[in-house]
Amino acid sequence: MKLTTTTTTILLACVPVALAAQSPDRSTSASAAASADARISVEANTTPEEERRIMAGLSAEGRVQLSTILERAEERRLPRRPILAAVAEGQAKGAAEARLLRAAHETSARLETALDVMARAGREHPSADEIALGASALAMGATSAQLEGLVKRSPSDRSLVTAFDVLTRLAAHGVPVAEAVARVGARLEAGASDAALGELAAGLQGHGSAAAG
């Protein structure tokens, strides 16, 4: 699976705040430095070698737990990369292993919820990108009901990647989730193109909700 730079940035930005805020101590600074390359690689594409680097930053027990999470994701046909990205980002910030595994669990749970939501809305076989971005929208505060409603407002043969991406970007810049869902949904119902959807989030960088309004 290959996501756009914008998509991957959003995925990494959705790592729990507890991870992002934690400062590395002496015991974790070495692992943070060692995992920086893994984080960069995850942003491009996860290879078996890069996955081994991420695993190498965990204890034996931690590797078992992460492997279990990844196996569960594989069974449900969920994308693995957001889970690995969450762990790699936390490692780069020197987060404790317990927090890394919690981030992996939470990311996996959101991916699973996004998949289930789309299935309920009639999308039985969403793409990996749609699942990943749906999970990102949940991480930014969207509810399952809001996500399901948005899916139902989109034609069944239309990709949800841009819609979820724009929703996540709007929420990331301070637009209330309910308002962001309403804006994206209205354009979907009007048959707006992906380019027109993207205009909703144009010019938001650095301007916050005031510019969004």
Side-chain angles (χ1 to χ4, degrees), residues 10 66 73 81 138 149 182 207:
I10 291 171
L66 181 56
R81 191 152 71 97
L138 292 171
H207 294 288

Side-chain angles (χ1 to χ4, degrees), residues 1-146:
M1 176 183 71
K2 185 176 182 180
L3 301 185
T4 63
T5 301
T6 299
T7 298
T8 308
T9 301
I10 291 171
L11 287 171
L12 292 176
C14 291
V15 174
V17 175
L19 278 183
Q22 184 169 347
S23 300
D25 56 25
R26 292 181 180 179
S27 64
T28 57
S29 58
S31 62
S35 67
D37 289 342
R39 175 175 58 122
I40 293 169
S41 298
V42 166
E43 290 177 358
N45 196 12
T46 304
T47 66
E49 179 182 354
E50 289 157 351
E51 186 170 330
R52 284 194 293 271
R53 289 185 195 173
I54 295 169
M55 288 288 189
L58 301 173
S59 67
E61 182 180 350
R63 289 194 292 272
V64 169
Q65 291 186 46
L66 181 56
S67 293
T68 300
I69 295 170
L70 293 172
E71 286 169 8
R72 166 67 177 173
E74 216 165 84
E75 288 173 1
R76 293 225 59 194
R77 298 184 179 180
L78 302 174
R80 295 162 58 95
R81 191 152 71 97
I83 300 170
L84 292 167
V87 175
E89 180 75 357
Q91 286 176 328
K93 295 180 181 298
E97 181 169 286
R99 292 183 181 274
L100 300 179
L101 296 172
R102 187 184 311 161
H105 273 294
E106 291 173 351
T107 302
S108 178
R110 283 192 293 268
L111 291 167
E112 197 158 349
T113 298
L115 175 63
D116 291 341
V117 163
M118 285 184 272
R120 287 198 303 271
R123 300 288 184 109
E124 296 183 2
H125 303 289
S127 69
D129 288 7
E130 288 174 318
I131 297 170
L133 280 167
S136 288
L138 292 171
M140 294 304 296
T143 66
S144 295
Q146 287 172 328

